[in-house]
Amino acid sequence: MTRILWFLLIGALALAAANSRIIKISYEDGRRSGNLRNGPWIYESNRPDGIVGSVGDLQILASKAVLEAPEGMSMQAAEGERTATFEGGVTVTRGRLTAKGPRLVYSEATGLGVLAGPAEMHQEPAKEGEDPVEVRAQEMSFDVDTDISTSSGGVVLASGNQKGWADRVYYEEERGLAVFTMDQGTVKLVRERKDGELVINAPEVRSLTRSKKLIATGGVKLVDGEITTTGEALYYDDETGEAIVIGNPARSVNAAEGFKTSGGTLLHNVNKHRVQVYRKPFTLPAEEFKKVGE
């Protein structure tokens, strides 16, 4: 009996997820044409926001949309498997987030809306004192089952005085977790300061954009003016200005003074431009930076 109830629960959850992915398209200031039974249904408006697609908490505004069913299926029977294409300048909104691009394709089967680029995204801060988040990329995808968006292709993410460059950025919108990755080479993260840039390079960087904390892994380099510190991983807190670098050993070189420091763990204070051996036990706080499902 327990097993039967478990399978029924799984089936109910799967059905709920599928239903939540069905898109509704309205056209108060537009028109619809096409084959009523088999589609495709074509929605057109003279206004850039005259066609509105709604699915979950995602809203898609455009001047044209085409809703299609898989070949051989009617539009009604295909609910949950249809594809909607929005064109003519697209605006996507969800909560504090707004994104824009020339074209978006949404799949009911996957629950993903893919915004073609060049695409731009802006997220308002959650509360006073926090910074907005700006993203530019060649493509952005939005998952209607979660608050996760993924940008790819020459991605630039900026928040306050920090900016990052990567091939791909995974972003949890409400939490503000950004995961920067590269296919080859390293992610570049820059913090602008009055006395010069602070630069972090690593194959992967995970940043909490709201609290301004980050970890970098896979072999890291931190450049603070004339001081370069390298290691296997680092943790950085912008509030304290301290980077804790782990290595085997971690190394730091002050090119201006010819001074070198090394140790299993180094403390690099970027506000004071000072590096010293970190004497306390330290473990990278990876749990704090985990993605959904990890």
Side-chain angles (χ1 to χ4, degrees), residues 146-150 168-172 175-181 204-208 215 285-294:
T146 67
D147 71 338
I148 296 169
S149 56
T150 303
R168 213 165 0 267
V169 174
Y170 161 103
Y171 185 59
E172 293 180 18
R175 185 179 168 205
L177 172 67
V179 180
F180 301 78
T181 54
E204 181 180 283
V205 176
R206 299 191 176 204
S207 172
L208 292 169
I215 58 172
E287 285 287 330
E288 188 179 351
F289 296 84
K290 277 191 172 183
K291 299 191 290 187
V292 170
E294 281 190 338

Coordinates of all heavy atoms in Angstrom, one line a residue, residues 146-150 168-172 175-181 204-208 215 285-294:
T146 N 11.6 26.6 -11.8 CA 12.4 27.1 -10.7 C 12.6 28.6 -11.0 O 12.0 29.2 -11.9 CB 13.8 26.5 -10.7 OG1 14.5 26.8 -11.9 CG2 13.6 25.0 -10.6
D147 N 13.4 29.3 -10.2 CA 13.8 30.7 -10.5 C 15.2 30.8 -11.1 O 15.9 31.8 -10.9 CB 13.7 31.5 -9.2 CG 14.8 31.2 -8.2 OD1 15.4 30.1 -8.3 OD2 15.2 32.0 -7.3
I148 N 15.6 29.7 -11.8 CA 16.9 29.6 -12.4 C 17.0 30.1 -13.8 O 16.1 29.7 -14.6 CB 17.4 28.2 -12.3 CG1 17.6 27.8 -10.8 CG2 18.8 28.1 -13.0 CD1 17.8 26.3 -10.6
S149 N 17.9 31.0 -14.1 CA 18.2 31.4 -15.5 C 19.7 31.0 -15.8 O 20.5 31.0 -14.9 CB 17.9 32.8 -15.7 OG 18.7 33.6 -14.8
T150 N 19.9 30.7 -17.1 CA 21.3 30.4 -17.5 C 21.6 31.2 -18.7 O 20.9 31.2 -19.7 CB 21.4 28.9 -17.8 OG1 21.0 28.1 -16.7 CG2 22.8 28.5 -18.1
R168 N 29.7 30.8 -19.5 CA 28.3 30.5 -19.0 C 28.1 31.0 -17.6 O 29.1 30.9 -16.8 CB 28.2 28.9 -19.1 CG 26.9 28.4 -19.4 CD 26.9 26.9 -19.7 NE 28.2 26.3 -19.7 CZ 29.0 26.2 -20.8 NH1 28.6 26.7 -22.0 NH2 30.2 25.6 -20.7
V169 N 26.9 31.4 -17.3 CA 26.6 31.8 -15.9 C 25.2 31.2 -15.6 O 24.2 31.5 -16.2 CB 26.6 33.4 -15.8 CG1 26.1 33.7 -14.4 CG2 27.9 34.0 -16.0
Y170 N 25.3 30.4 -14.5 CA 24.0 29.9 -13.9 C 23.6 30.8 -12.8 O 24.5 31.3 -12.0 CB 24.4 28.5 -13.4 CG 23.4 27.9 -12.3 CD1 22.5 26.9 -12.7 CD2 23.5 28.3 -11.0 CE1 21.6 26.4 -11.7 CE2 22.7 27.8 -10.0 CZ 21.7 26.8 -10.4 OH 20.9 26.3 -9.4
Y171 N 22.3 31.2 -12.8 CA 21.9 32.2 -11.8 C 20.6 31.9 -11.1 O 19.6 31.6 -11.8 CB 21.8 33.6 -12.5 CG 21.5 34.7 -11.6 CD1 22.4 35.1 -10.6 CD2 20.3 35.5 -11.8 CE1 22.1 36.2 -9.8 CE2 20.1 36.6 -11.0 CZ 20.9 36.9 -10.0 OH 20.7 38.0 -9.1
E172 N 20.7 31.8 -9.8 CA 19.5 31.6 -9.0 C 19.0 33.0 -8.6 O 19.6 33.7 -7.8 CB 19.8 30.7 -7.7 CG 20.1 29.3 -8.1 CD 20.4 28.5 -6.9 OE1 20.0 28.8 -5.7 OE2 21.0 27.4 -7.1
R175 N 17.9 34.0 -4.7 CA 19.1 33.8 -3.8 C 20.3 34.7 -4.2 O 21.1 35.1 -3.4 CB 19.4 32.4 -3.8 CG 20.5 32.0 -2.8 CD 20.7 30.5 -2.9 NE 22.0 30.1 -2.2 CZ 22.7 29.0 -2.5 NH1 22.3 28.2 -3.4 NH2 23.7 28.7 -1.8
G176 N 20.4 35.0 -5.5 CA 21.5 35.8 -6.0 C 22.8 35.0 -6.2 O 23.9 35.5 -6.2
L177 N 22.7 33.6 -6.3 CA 23.9 32.8 -6.5 C 24.2 32.8 -8.0 O 23.4 32.3 -8.8 CB 23.6 31.4 -6.0 CG 24.8 30.4 -6.4 CD1 26.0 30.7 -5.6 CD2 24.3 29.0 -6.1
A178 N 25.4 33.2 -8.4 CA 25.9 33.2 -9.8 C 27.0 32.2 -9.8 O 28.0 32.4 -9.1 CB 26.3 34.6 -10.3
V179 N 27.0 31.3 -10.8 CA 28.1 30.3 -11.0 C 28.7 30.6 -12.3 O 28.0 30.4 -13.4 CB 27.6 28.9 -10.8 CG1 28.8 27.9 -11.0 CG2 27.0 28.6 -9.5
F180 N 29.9 31.1 -12.4 CA 30.6 31.4 -13.6 C 31.5 30.2 -14.0 O 32.3 29.7 -13.2 CB 31.6 32.6 -13.4 CG 30.9 33.8 -13.0 CD1 30.5 34.0 -11.7 CD2 30.7 34.9 -13.9 CE1 29.9 35.2 -11.2 CE2 30.1 36.1 -13.5 CZ 29.7 36.2 -12.2
T181 N 31.4 29.7 -15.3 CA 32.3 28.7 -15.8 C 32.8 29.0 -17.2 O 32.2 29.8 -17.9 CB 31.5 27.3 -15.8 OG1 30.3 27.5 -16.6 CG2 31.1 26.8 -14.4
E204 N 36.3 28.1 -12.2 CA 35.0 28.3 -11.8 C 34.9 29.2 -10.6 O 35.7 29.1 -9.7 CB 34.3 26.9 -11.3 CG 32.9 27.1 -10.8 CD 32.2 25.8 -10.4 OE1 31.8 25.0 -11.3 OE2 32.1 25.6 -9.2
V205 N 34.0 30.2 -10.6 CA 33.8 31.1 -9.5 C 32.3 31.1 -9.2 O 31.4 31.1 -10.1 CB 34.2 32.5 -9.9 CG1 33.8 33.5 -8.8 CG2 35.6 32.6 -10.3
R206 N 32.0 31.0 -7.9 CA 30.6 31.0 -7.4 C 30.5 32.2 -6.5 O 31.2 32.4 -5.5 CB 30.3 29.7 -6.6 CG 30.4 28.5 -7.5 CD 29.8 27.3 -6.8 NE 29.8 26.1 -7.7 CZ 29.0 25.1 -7.6 NH1 28.1 25.0 -6.6 NH2 29.0 24.1 -8.5
S207 N 29.5 33.1 -6.9 CA 29.4 34.4 -6.2 C 28.0 34.6 -5.6 O 27.0 34.3 -6.4 CB 29.7 35.5 -7.1 OG 29.4 36.8 -6.6
L208 N 27.8 35.0 -4.4 CA 26.6 35.4 -3.8 C 26.5 36.9 -4.0 O 27.1 37.6 -3.3 CB 26.5 35.0 -2.4 CG 26.4 33.5 -2.1 CD1 26.6 33.2 -0.6 CD2 25.1 32.9 -2.6
I215 N 33.5 32.0 -3.8 CA 34.6 31.0 -3.8 C 35.0 30.8 -5.2 O 34.2 30.9 -6.1 CB 34.1 29.7 -3.1 CG1 32.9 29.1 -3.9 CG2 33.8 29.9 -1.6 CD1 32.6 27.7 -3.4
P285 N 33.9 27.1 2.5 CA 32.5 26.9 2.8 C 31.7 26.6 1.6 O 30.8 27.3 1.2 CB 32.1 28.3 3.4 CG 33.0 29.3 2.6 CD 34.3 28.5 2.5
A286 N 31.9 25.4 1.0 CA 31.3 25.0 -0.3 C 29.8 24.9 -0.1 O 29.0 25.1 -1.1 CB 31.9 23.8 -0.8
E287 N 29.3 24.4 1.0 CA 27.9 24.2 1.3 C 27.1 25.5 1.0 O 26.0 25.5 0.5 CB 27.7 23.7 2.7 CG 28.0 22.3 2.9 CD 27.1 21.3 2.3 OE1 25.9 21.7 2.2 OE2 27.5 20.2 1.9
E288 N 27.6 26.6 1.4 CA 27.0 27.9 1.3 C 26.7 28.3 -0.2 O 25.8 29.1 -0.5 CB 27.8 29.0 2.0 CG 27.2 30.3 2.1 CD 28.0 31.3 2.8 OE1 29.1 30.9 3.4 OE2 27.7 32.5 2.8
F289 N 27.5 27.7 -1.1 CA 27.5 28.1 -2.5 C 26.9 27.0 -3.4 O 27.1 27.0 -4.6 CB 28.9 28.5 -3.0 CG 29.4 29.7 -2.3 CD1 30.1 29.6 -1.0 CD2 29.3 31.0 -2.9 CE1 30.6 30.7 -0.4 CE2 29.8 32.1 -2.2 CZ 30.4 32.0 -1.0
K290 N 26.3 26.0 -2.8 CA 25.7 24.9 -3.6 C 24.6 25.3 -4.5 O 23.7 26.1 -4.0 CB 25.3 23.7 -2.7 CG 26.4 22.8 -2.3 CD 25.9 21.5 -1.6 CE 27.0 20.5 -1.4 NZ 26.4 19.3 -0.8
K291 N 24.5 24.8 -5.7 CA 23.4 25.0 -6.6 C 22.2 24.2 -6.1 O 22.3 23.2 -5.4 CB 23.7 24.7 -8.0 CG 24.9 25.5 -8.6 CD 25.0 25.4 -10.1 CE 25.5 24.0 -10.4 NZ 25.8 23.9 -11.9
V292 N 21.0 24.5 -6.6 CA 19.8 23.7 -6.3 C 20.0 22.3 -6.8 O 20.5 22.1 -8.0 CB 18.6 24.3 -7.0 CG1 17.4 23.4 -7.0 CG2 18.2 25.6 -6.4
G293 N 19.8 21.3 -6.0 CA 19.9 19.9 -6.4 C 21.3 19.3 -6.2 O 21.4 18.1 -6.4
E294 N 22.3 20.1 -5.8 CA 23.6 19.6 -5.6 C 23.7 18.9 -4.2 O 23.1 19.3 -3.3 CB 24.7 20.7 -5.7 CG 25.0 21.0 -7.2 CD 26.2 21.9 -7.3 OE1 26.6 22.6 -6.3 OE2 26.8 22.0 -8.4

